Amino acid sequence: MNTATFDIAVLISGSGSNLQALIDQQQGFGYRIVCVLSNKADAYGLVRAQQAHIATRIVDHKAYDSREAFEQAMIVAIDEFQPKLVVLAGFMRILTPLFISHYEQRLLNIHPSLLPKFKGTHTHEQAIAAGETEHGASVHWVIPELDSGRVIAQESVPILADDTAEVLAKRVLTVEHQLYPAVVAAIAQGKIRADDHSDPLTLSQLLHKVVS
Ligand code: GRF
């Protein structure tokens, strides 16, 4: 397989553990990370990118007067690399239709819940407080409405009796690190398209689709 034809950009704001999973699995999965962009100069994910010899860009939202001006600067930085997909991996700014429409059908997000349950933040606390027995992660296309685009894949984990939000978050992250690279691979390999309308895939269904 040609491993260098499907270029992606990854947007982060923090630790970047999902970015690390995407880096670690890119060679076998047939996509290539060409740029990591952060809105925070001290995001640890930038170190991960540099260690993997991936180009980095910092676009600090605090340097702009409006969300639109910030997003326009991000668009310029990202488009220098001509990515086929823009992957949000713990990117903690709300995006406006300006950015979202520019990358229509090319913009992915991972969210730590079994969408449509528990949109927004503090999803682990919300799931425990609601008395759920299962929680998980979802990868979805991004549309202007928050955490509401079509879900491509999701995988669940159990919620155990003595779970804290921190313990549960770690369990969900282990699933995120498998799910996100596999979804990107399936898109890179043409197995999933933005105009598909199939039900969300589980991790095992997804892994059957992709060639590694
Ligand atoms: C993950 O839980 C992801 O689902 C959410 O933000 C978190 C990012 O974690 N969107 P990391 O920076 O990838 O470690």
Side-chain angles (χ1 to χ4, degrees), residues 19-35:
L19 167 65
Q20 189 66 55
L22 288 160
I23 290 172
D24 292 345
Q25 294 175 61
Q26 64 180 339
Q27 261 202 325
F29 265 165
Y31 60 85
R32 180 175 68 164
I33 304 170
V34 287
C35 169

Side-chain angles (χ1 to χ4, degrees), residues 21-169:
L22 288 160
I23 290 172
D24 292 345
Q25 294 175 61
Q26 64 180 339
Q27 261 202 325
F29 265 165
Y31 60 85
R32 180 175 68 164
I33 304 170
V34 287
C35 169
V36 171
L37 182 148
S38 174
N39 65 310
K40 295 197 163 193
D42 62 352
Y44 183 65
L46 290 170
V47 176
R48 299 181 191 271
Q50 282 152 7
Q51 283 170 349
H53 308 290
I54 297 167
T56 57
R57 295 288 183 271
I58 297 162
V59 182
D60 182 349
H61 58 281
K62 293 196 290 298
Y64 297 89
D65 289 342
S66 67
R67 277 190 195 272
E68 285 75 11
F70 164 59
E71 291 180 355
Q72 198 56 57
M74 285 203 296
I75 288 171
V76 169
I78 294 165
D79 285 357
E80 177 193 339
F81 296 91
Q82 306 254 301
K84 295 202 168 101
L85 204 61
V86 175
V87 175
L88 305 177
F91 182 73
M92 298 306 284
R93 303 299 299 170
I94 302 268
L95 294 165
T96 79
L98 175 108
F99 188 90
I100 294 170
S101 63
H102 185 81
Y103 296 107
E104 193 177 0
Q105 304 203 323
R106 289 193 289 151
L107 188 57
L108 282 186
N109 185 40
I110 189 158
H111 182 76
S113 81
L114 297 171
L115 289 171
K117 288 184 177 173
F118 310 124
K119 296 176 181 177
T121 55
H122 304 295
T123 60
H124 312 299
E125 288 88 338
Q126 288 188 61
I128 291 170
E132 299 280 328
T133 55
E134 279 195 325
H135 189 43
S138 306
V139 178
H140 64 93
W141 296 106
V142 176
I143 62 170
E145 198 184 336
L146 187 68
D147 299 328
S148 297
R150 194 171 62 73
V151 175
I152 299 167
Q154 60 185 193
E155 184 66 21
S156 58
V157 300
I159 298 181
L160 306 179
D162 54 356
D163 271 352
T164 60
E166 290 70 29
V167 168
L168 182 55

Side-chain angles (χ1 to χ4, degrees), residues 14-18 89-90 110-112 173 176:
S15 143
S17 71
N18 277 287
I110 189 158
H111 182 76
L173 271 176
E176 294 187 35

Side-chain angles (χ1 to χ4, degrees), residues 166-177:
E166 290 70 29
V167 168
L168 182 55
K170 278 196 187 137
R171 194 175 303 127
V172 171
L173 271 176
T174 62
V175 161
E176 294 187 35
H177 298 162

